[in-house]
Amino acid sequence: MRIAMIGSGYVGLVSGACLADFGHEVVCIDKDPEKIAALNEGRMPIYEPGLDALVAENVRQKRLAFSTDLKPAVAGAQAVFIAVGTPSRRGDGFADLSYVYAAARAIAEALTGYAVVVTKSTVPVGTGDEVERILREARPDLDVGVASNPEFLREGAAIGDFKRPDRIVIGAEDARAAAVMQEVYRPLYLNQAPILFTGRRTAELTKYAANAFLATKITFINEIADLCEQVGANVQEVARGIGLDNRIGSKFLHAGPGYGGSCFPKDTLALVKTAQDYGTPVRIVETVVAVNDQRKRAMARKVIAACGGSVRGKRVALLGLTFKPNTDDMRDAPSLSIIAGLQDAGARIVAYDPEGMEQARPLLQGVDYAEDAYACAEGADALVIVTEWNAFRALDLARLKAMMAAPVLVDLRNVYAPDEARRHGLRHVGVGALASRD
Ligand SMILES: NC(=O)c1ccc[n+]([C@@H]2O[C@H](COP(=O)([O-])OP(=O)(O)OC[C@H]3O[C@@H](n4cnc5c(N)ncnc54)[C@H](O)[C@@H]3O)[C@@H](O)[C@H]2O)c1
């Protein structure tokens, strides 16, 4: 099949490369000429494990190409995916759909024969209807289908998630569009990946419901972690104790500094707004949003408390800046709020992240960057693990203790066992358990 992918960010690029790998002929379009130039030179604009090799192989096989020129890619395509950003709109938090609608207008002008226009971007209920209206208004003559195919991949594991998904959700209003989508995903269908065909609005809402549920699960265990700290219980054991129940499941029960990233914050907010607009508020999700917002800042207070109540003039070292490991994505990362809180309290910040420092620099002021974890810890009054990169899982704790000004390890991801840290002379302050004593 010939496929055009409009938007070559995390989702568009990974989806385009994987669809090409299935054997389709894919052109990934982006309006950012630098991004396309980089891709055409074989440089990846994002860090995603395995992506460079996948892209190189499919470019070599001539199944994958990159361009800023939408028209020739869309003309003659059987499926045109919209994978542009849908960030939170400034002011009201609703999803900003201007990029989606601009893409739809450009697609309308470029289509030549029957095609299915597919929203892969996360879009509020009813966006597919509006995309269809835009297409029909611009080109009343057009023979076109409009489908919703939300994406569930996770950054850091995106290729595996796309190629071996838990499920594929396709929202289509007619059999012809559904048949084209079935053809797109046929290689996965043969692998028995469950494909769910639903109405378009159902597919759109399914994506938000999934993200809101996961955000709720994280926020739930974070609140239980706070309670554990007060009552002398251990949240990791509680999480295991409940997670072994199949009805609950063990995933997304790791207490930490609050969720961040490019999806959960904006998608929970957009769902809250949609539900309010329809007069059926989702109170649980409203609370999740509020609790999570407060939590990120509270993590700065946790560090301050671990430093004896003040960080003024102290050197605080942060390990990890990205919102999770194996990505360079800094969007809504908890580190941003934590650093702001610590700087407001007078701390000097030094940070290290294996992949995220380039993306972090424009977002942070007054931060020194270190070359590795040990250089970061040198002379620090506290070492804070913010993101659980593998590189931080087996640090030489005795070496850290010897080089730090004060032996305080604030482990916001519970990477280290408190006893182990204590054995090496570090005071361990984790999440959801009593802090180890000096
Ligand atoms: N990042 C994720 O992990 C993830 C997972 C699932 C779903 N999503 C959803 O997928 C969508 C895209 O997310 P992303 O993280 O890939 O965003 P992104 O910001 O990384 O990429 C969007 C790209 O679209 C391009 N673009 C915007 N308007 C365009 C136009 N008219 N023509 C051509 N290119 C255009 C931008 O230049 C940018 O490169 C969002 O709706 C997001 O919620 C993201």
Side-chain angles (χ1 to χ4, degrees):
M1 291 180 85
R2 284 186 57 186
I3 292 175
M5 184 69 64
I6 314 303
S8 308
Y10 283 83
V11 166
L13 183 53
V14 171
S15 306
C18 289
L19 289 171
D21 210 48
F22 292 167
H24 300 307
E25 250 177 62
V26 182
V27 183
C28 286
I29 301 295
D30 206 283
K31 63 177 184 182
D32 178 349
E34 278 178 33
K35 200 171 266 192
I36 294 301
L39 284 164
N40 278 325
E41 286 165 18
R43 283 183 288 118
M44 296 302 106
I46 54 167
Y47 174 75
E48 180 64 43
L51 185 62
D52 42 4
L54 187 75
V55 166
E57 175 58 16
N58 283 283
V59 168
R60 201 175 63 78
Q61 299 278 356
K62 300 204 183 321
R63 290 191 296 253
L64 180 62
F66 303 101
S67 173
T68 52
D69 197 359
L70 180 142
K71 250 192 165 146
V74 168
Q78 287 119 305
V80 181
F81 283 85
I82 299 178
V84 301
T86 49
S88 277
R89 196 160 64 187
R90 213 170 283 227
D92 65 2
F94 198 75
D96 179 352
L97 295 171
S98 56
Y99 304 100
V100 172
Y101 295 150
R105 282 189 288 273
I107 292 165
E109 281 173 30
L111 282 173
T112 51
Y114 178 77
V116 181
V117 176
V118 193
T119 36
K120 189 160 257 321
S121 301
T122 302
V123 294
V125 169
T127 304
D129 302 354
E130 184 60 16
V131 166
E132 184 162 2
R133 198 192 60 74
I134 290 171
L135 294 169
R136 299 212 184 285
E137 193 175 275
R139 292 274 304 280
D141 58 304
L142 214 58
D143 192 13
V144 68
V146 175
S148 161
N149 171 218
E151 183 50 57
F152 297 96
L153 63 76
R154 294 163 301 170
E155 287 177 19
I159 294 170
D161 283 352
F162 194 93
K163 288 189 164 181
R164 288 176 296 281
D166 290 338
R167 78 313 204 178
I168 298 155
V169 175
I170 291 167
E173 295 300 314
D174 62 276
R176 195 173 172 201
V180 170
M181 293 308 293
Q182 180 144 6
E183 196 56 28
V184 168
Y185 284 108
R186 198 148 65 121
L188 291 183
Y189 198 62
L190 297 175
N191 283 347
Q192 316 222 304
I195 302 193
L196 245 71
F197 285 95
T198 69
R200 209 161 53 198
R201 286 178 162 239
T202 301
E204 289 169 340
L205 188 56
T206 302
K207 172 65 189 176
Y208 283 100
N211 274 359
F213 191 87
L214 293 172
T216 302
K217 215 171 165 190
I218 293 173
T219 306
F220 176 82
I221 203 67
N222 283 341
E223 285 202 314
I224 295 294
D226 290 350
L227 184 58
C228 284
E229 288 176 15
Q230 297 309 315
V231 302
N234 180 305
V235 76
Q236 286 170 286
E237 289 167 11
V238 172
R240 189 164 155 74
I242 63 173
L244 285 169
D245 184 329
N246 284 334
R247 293 168 303 174
I248 296 174
S250 59
K251 302 269 176 70
F252 278 70
L253 284 181
H254 302 287
Y259 62 78
S262 65
C263 292
F264 287 180
K266 79 172 175 63
D267 292 348
T268 44
L269 208 54
L271 180 63
V272 162
K273 297 295 163 189
T274 301
Q276 283 169 356
D277 282 355
Y278 281 87
T280 52
V282 282
R283 299 258 189 254
I284 290 176
V285 185
E286 287 177 9
T287 304
V288 165
V289 170
V291 169
N292 192 67
D293 277 351
Q294 289 159 22
R295 184 169 189 84
K296 296 186 198 173
R297 188 85 179 182
M299 291 300 112
R301 292 197 294 276
K302 190 179 183 76
V303 176
I304 295 167
C307 291
S310 170
V311 287
R312 187 152 302 281
K314 289 186 177 165
R315 181 178 166 91
V316 178
L318 262 72
L319 294 184
L321 292 168
T322 52
F323 80 97
K324 67 173 177 180
N326 291 328
T327 180
D328 60 353
D329 201 337
M330 281 296 298
R331 287 179 279 188
D332 270 320
S335 64
L336 299 171
S337 308
I338 296 170
I339 289 173
L342 291 170
Q343 286 178 328
D344 287 350
R348 289 177 297 127
I349 305 292
V350 56
Y352 169 70
D353 188 284
E355 295 291 340
M357 294 196 289
E358 200 183 316
Q359 299 290 334
R361 271 177 217 275
L363 304 174
L364 294 166
Q365 268 89 50
V367 170
D368 289 332
Y369 294 92
E371 284 197 349
D372 62 33
Y374 296 103
C376 191
E378 179 88 56
D381 295 284
L383 183 65
V384 187
I385 298 178
V386 181
T387 316
E388 69 281 29
W389 284 90
N390 274 342
F392 305 149
R393 287 186 182 277
L395 294 170
D396 180 341
L397 298 181
R399 184 175 165 201
L400 286 177
K401 145 91 176 146
M403 66 203 317
M404 289 173 65
V408 178
L409 176 64
V410 184
D411 183 358
L412 298 180
R413 300 289 183 173
N414 290 333
V415 170
Y416 290 96
D419 284 354
E420 186 193 0
R422 193 169 41 230
R423 255 200 320 278
H424 292 97
L426 290 168
R427 200 161 78 81
H428 181 272
V429 180
V431 173
L434 289 176
S436 69
R437 279 172 250 297
D438 293 312

